[in-house]
């Protein structure tokens, strides 16, 4: 009997673009695994309520006005033999949102304050900003997981040091917020039993930014990564899917 | 009929036509700004909880309400308020008494040094005895608390030294002091945090002379630090009754006594110092013609209609040419558009 292959559906924000381009350039990476993409739209929409759960709990639907919305149920993206899909979600672990929208040029974690022109923020305030930014996206991940679909969250790339929203900040402030965000969201996802595919270590500079070698093919885009980055992430996701199949196969055997 | 001093007084000087014969919402002309107020004037607001309404109303009307310690951009308004931002012109929390205002002024101007005193809370967290509610649950540790307090003191200093108009709302006469340190707390130790020590913590119900001296000195010190150039001052008295009293009197009687002192001091200081006025928010909410209708069912909190009525009366007393315009909403950020381009580039139709 041929082992069943879990279909893979990659959904979420604009960081899926790099993965999609990598797949288009090298479809053989999937090794025959059915792959589907569904990009919602700008991740910034995720800071507001953007999904509903049906009264029966059987459907989770995104509702953001500027998105290409998606309704998921247990059979979404299922394979031809009815095998449930693994959903890879790029959304909760995206620090660009909080780095772009909060006034980190004027407000800083209190430990990093260097002048009276900066307003020091307590840990509680920074944490409130993080929870406010990621709360709906983490809740969405929980809701999708509750459908019974397999779910893994794709960690978004760390910011590029040359990005305009990073250049107006002190690097240590930027990296501190990035770090606290990843720790807080990682903990929330772990508590919900949701695995994370981390950013490949080889794409991160010693300082903690994304290596400029992986900047977007379009030089004017200082926010998204390129297909070479996407290739590494796609491999990591596929490896994760294969591991799950082995574990499930092992458990079944 | 003989001519006498009352003959030529305006209608507002007579109870019957200006109060008794009017619907309560038609009672008007209660206050007129006695000094110029220009659209470019920068207001700062401090005081008891009722002062929070002033800042919000001024900003909503397009006046230049100065927030020297604003919340980080992007923080939801409700969360910001919960964390003590945007309530006053710096994150001082409520300054209930004239003595506390005087204390803040002294600290901000470097005339006294605030003690590095903290109150222990639950789970090792610490509270600032001088603004115990600004950080719900307390600060993580003393270093965080002191860094935050320094920032607030600096913001308070900028507020009082650069504003054109200072609005201060007097709330209480009852206060709690640290006998050893000679400082006044915002709350009785042990109520929200800290531990009450009867050997060290003393209650004082400030009398007229004490409130008068603190308020006068606070204003004079601010003006002296500015070389005598401003600010104009608007004093108000909070109509919110005491939640509890240590005076020994019934809380209703204690409220009446405290508010009478504060009202009398505000009027006295307004008559003694130039460019100081008293705005009657206390009367607008609490006077008998309003029949208590501006209070919530707990007969303490002021309801929305009451706040609106107070602010309507305030703006009615401000010259028309000072009325501002509400701010317009913002637009989408350039960076959000960049994300849409990435989506279109990778997932849109190909040529």
């Amino acid at each position: 009997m041929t082992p069943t292959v879990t279909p893979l559906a990659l959904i979420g924000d604009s960081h899926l673009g790099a993965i999609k381009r990598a797949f288009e350039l090298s479809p053989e990476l999937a090794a025959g695994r059915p792959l589907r993409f569904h990009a919602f739209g700008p991740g910034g929409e995720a800071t507001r309520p953007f999904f509903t759960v049906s009264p029966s709990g059987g459907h989770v639907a995104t509702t953001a006005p500027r998105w290409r919305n998606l309704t998921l149920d247990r059979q979404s993206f299922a394979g031809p033999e009815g095998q449930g899909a693994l959903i890879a979600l790029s959304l909760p672990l995206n620090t660009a949102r909080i780095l772009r929208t909060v006034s980190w040029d004027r407000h800083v974690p209190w430990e990093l304050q260097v002048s009276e022109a900066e307003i020091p923020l307590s840990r509680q305030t920074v944490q409130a900003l993080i929870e406010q930014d990621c709360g709906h996206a983490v809740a969405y991940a929980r809701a999708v997981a509750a459908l019974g679909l397999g779910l893994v969250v794709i960690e978004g790339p760390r910011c590029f040091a040359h990005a305009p929203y990073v250049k107006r900040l002190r690097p240590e402030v930027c990296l501190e917020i990035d770090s606290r965000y990843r720790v807080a969201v990682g903990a929330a996802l772990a508590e919900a039993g949701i695995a994370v595919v981390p950013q490949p270590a080889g794409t991160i500079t010693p300082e903690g930014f994304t290596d400029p070698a992986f900047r977007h093919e379009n030089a004017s885009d200082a926010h998204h990564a390129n297909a070479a980055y996407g290739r590494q992430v796609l491999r990591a996701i596929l490896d994760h899917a294969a591991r799950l199949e082995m574990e499930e196969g092992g458990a079944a055997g | 009929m003989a001519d006498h001093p009352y003959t030529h007084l305006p209608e507002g000087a007579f109870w019957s036509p200006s109060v008794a014969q009017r619907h309560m919402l038609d009672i008007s002309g209660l206050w007129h700004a006695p000094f110029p107020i220009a659209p470019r004037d920068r207001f700062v607001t401090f005081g008891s909880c009722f002062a929070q309404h002033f800042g919000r109303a001024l900003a909503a009307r397009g006046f230049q309400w100065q927030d020297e310690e604003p919340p980080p951009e992007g923080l939801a308004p409700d969360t910001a308020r919960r964390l003590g931002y945007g309530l006053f012109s710096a994150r001082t929390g409520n300054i209930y008494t004239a003595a506390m205002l005087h204390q803040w002024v002294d600290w901000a101007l470097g005339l006294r040094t605030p003690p590095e005193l903290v109150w222990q809370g639950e789970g090792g967290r610490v509270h600032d005895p001088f603004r115990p509610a600004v950080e719900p649950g307390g600060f993580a540790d003393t270093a965080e608390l002191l860094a935050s307090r320094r920032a607030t003191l600096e913001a308070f200093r900028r507020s009082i030294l650069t504003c054109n108009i200072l609005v201060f709302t007097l709330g209480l006469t009852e206060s709690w002091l640290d006998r050893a340190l000679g400082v006044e707390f915002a709350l009785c130790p042990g109520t929200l945090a800290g531990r009450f020590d009867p050997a060290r913590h003393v209650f004082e119900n400030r009398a007229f002379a004490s409130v008068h001296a603190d308020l006068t000195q606070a204003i004079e010190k601010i003006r002296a630090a500015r070389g005598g150039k401003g600010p104009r001052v608007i004093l108000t008295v909070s109509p919110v009754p005491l939640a509890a009293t240590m005076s020994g009197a019934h809380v209703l009687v204690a409220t009446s006594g405290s508010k009478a002192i504060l009202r009398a001091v505000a009027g006295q200081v307004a008559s003694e110092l130039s460019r100081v006025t008293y705005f009657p928010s206390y009367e607008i909410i609490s006077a008998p013609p309003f029949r208590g209708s501006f209070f919530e069912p707990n007969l303490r909190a002021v309801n929305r209609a009451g706040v609106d009525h107070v602010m309507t009366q305030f703006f009615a007393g401000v010259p028309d040419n000072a009325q501002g315009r509400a701010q317009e909403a913002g637009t989408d950020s350039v960076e959000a558009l960049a994300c849409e381009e990435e989506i279109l580039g990778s997932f849109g139709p190909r040529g």
Side-chain angles (χ1 to χ4, degrees), chain A residues 21 66 103 107 122-123 132 216, chain B residues 70 74 76 135 340 342 346:
Chain A
R21 290 196 300 283
R66 295 166 61 198
S103 46
H107 295 84
S122 67
R123 281 198 162 261
Q132 179 187 297
H216 195 277
Chain B
E135 190 77 10
E340 287 173 335
E342 170 68 354
S346 299

Side-chain angles (χ1 to χ4, degrees), chain B residues 41 45 55 59-60 105 132 147 151 156 193 201 219 250 256 260 268:
Chain B
D41 280 335
T45 54
V105 168
F156 181 79
H201 300 137
I219 294 170
H250 188 285
S256 182
Q268 183 77 12

Side-chain angles (χ1 to χ4, degrees), chain A residues 12-14 16-18 20-21 24 37-43 66 100-103 106-107 110 113 116 119-125 128-129 132 164-165 168 216 221 223-225, chain B residues 67-76 79 82-83 85 91 125 135-141 143-144 147-148 151 154 157-158 332 335-340 342-343 345-347 350:
Chain A
D13 58 24
S14 54
L16 290 181
K20 174 108 182 298
R21 290 196 300 283
E24 287 170 348
F37 287 88
H38 183 103
F40 296 148
R66 295 166 61 198
R100 286 189 303 198
T101 57
V102 176
S103 46
R106 190 173 179 201
H107 295 84
W110 73 269
Q113 185 192 14
E116 285 184 347
I119 298 175
L121 299 179
S122 67
R123 281 198 162 261
Q124 181 175 194
T125 303
L129 284 160
Q132 179 187 297
Y165 62 89
R168 70 169 183 257
H216 195 277
D221 186 333
H223 173 48
H224 301 97
Chain B
D67 187 353
E68 287 292 344
E69 196 177 4
E73 283 169 30
L75 189 63
T79 308
R82 185 175 62 80
L83 290 165
Y85 290 99
R91 202 168 164 233
R125 297 186 73 84
E135 190 77 10
F139 289 92
D141 53 37
E144 182 179 76
S148 173
E154 175 57 24
R157 191 185 71 81
R158 285 196 303 272
D332 288 345
E335 284 153 341
L337 296 175
C339 274
E340 287 173 335
E342 170 68 354
I343 294 281
S346 299
F347 295 93
R350 303 292 162 82

Side-chain angles (χ1 to χ4, degrees), chain A residues 47-73:
Chain A
T47 58
R48 296 178 281 273
F50 70 85
F51 72 95
T52 58
V53 179
S54 65
S56 67
H59 296 81
V60 176
T62 63
T63 56
R66 295 166 61 198
W67 275 4
R68 187 173 153 241
N69 285 306
L70 175 68
T71 298
L72 291 175
D73 60 31

Side-chain angles (χ1 to χ4, degrees), chain B residues 240-254:
Chain B
V240 178
L242 277 64
T245 181
M246 270 299 294
S247 64
H250 188 285
V251 68
L252 188 144
V253 179

Side-chain angles (χ1 to χ4, degrees), chain B residues 152-234:
Chain B
T152 296
L153 270 172
E154 175 57 24
F156 181 79
R157 191 185 71 81
R158 285 196 303 272
S159 297
I160 61 175
L161 293 185
T162 63
C163 70
N164 300 109
I165 298 174
L166 164 66
V167 182
F168 183 70
T169 301
L170 295 145
L172 297 176
T173 57
E174 297 193 12
S175 55
W176 285 93
L177 313 174
D178 185 308
R179 193 195 309 268
L181 297 171
V183 292
E184 180 171 323
F185 301 127
L187 288 172
C188 175
T191 51
L192 181 71
R195 252 172 86 177
F196 183 71
D197 178 354
R200 179 169 181 158
H201 300 137
V202 291
F203 171 74
E204 185 172 339
N205 197 0
R206 307 277 188 173
F208 179 97
S210 170
V211 180
H212 179 265
D214 278 316
L215 186 58
T216 302
Q217 287 179 51
I219 294 170
E220 288 181 337
K221 285 177 178 177
I222 293 169
R223 288 178 167 175
R226 297 165 54 123
K229 294 176 182 161
R232 283 157 274 163
V233 177
I234 298 173

Side-chain angles (χ1 to χ4, degrees), chain A residues 3-250:
Chain A
T4 54
V5 176
T6 307
L8 179 62
L10 296 97
I11 68 173
D13 58 24
S14 54
H15 288 298
L16 290 181
I19 306 171
K20 174 108 182 298
R21 290 196 300 283
F23 177 61
E24 287 170 348
L25 288 170
S26 309
E28 72 281 2
L29 284 172
R33 183 185 300 278
L35 233 67
R36 298 273 297 278
F37 287 88
H38 183 103
F40 296 148
E45 292 287 305
T47 58
R48 296 178 281 273
F50 70 85
F51 72 95
T52 58
V53 179
S54 65
S56 67
H59 296 81
V60 176
T62 63
T63 56
R66 295 166 61 198
W67 275 4
R68 187 173 153 241
N69 285 306
L70 175 68
T71 298
L72 291 175
D73 60 31
R74 195 179 172 82
Q75 290 308 310
S76 297
F77 303 111
E81 295 160 31
Q83 66 271 41
L86 172 66
I87 306 289
L89 171 67
S90 174
L91 197 65
L93 267 166
N94 177 352
T95 57
R97 285 190 303 260
I98 196 169
L99 289 172
R100 286 189 303 198
T101 57
V102 176
S103 46
W104 300 114
D105 51 340
R106 190 173 179 201
H107 295 84
V108 299
W110 73 269
E111 303 95 324
L112 300 179
Q113 185 192 14
V114 294
S115 78
E116 285 184 347
E118 294 178 332
I119 298 175
L121 299 179
S122 67
R123 281 198 162 261
Q124 181 175 194
T125 303
V126 175
Q127 183 66 22
L129 284 160
I130 291 171
E131 286 172 8
Q132 179 187 297
D133 187 272
C134 73
H136 298 295
V138 170
Y140 178 71
R142 283 201 196 100
V144 171
L147 289 174
L149 287 162
L151 177 69
V152 61
V153 165
I154 308 167
E155 185 179 33
R158 284 157 177 76
C159 47
F160 288 98
H162 73 282
Y165 62 89
V166 174
K167 284 167 78 174
R168 70 169 183 257
L169 309 178
R170 288 194 286 123
E172 58 270 37
V173 173
C174 184
L175 293 169
E176 176 69 16
I177 299 306
D178 185 277
S179 168
R180 285 196 202 179
Y181 192 101
R182 288 171 199 277
V183 168
V185 177
L189 293 172
E191 191 182 331
I194 298 169
V196 172
V197 170
Q199 177 173 1
T203 65
I204 305 170
T205 66
E207 294 77 26
F209 294 106
T210 293
D211 190 321
F214 297 100
R215 60 188 291 182
H216 195 277
E217 294 84 350
N218 176 354
S220 67
D221 186 333
H223 173 48
H224 301 97
N226 61 15
Y229 176 91
R231 184 183 178 91
Q232 293 199 31
V233 175
L234 181 56
R235 275 192 176 143
I237 298 167
L238 291 164
D239 287 349
H240 178 82
R243 263 197 315 278
L244 284 180
E245 282 165 354
M246 281 181 64
E247 286 168 14
E248 282 168 13

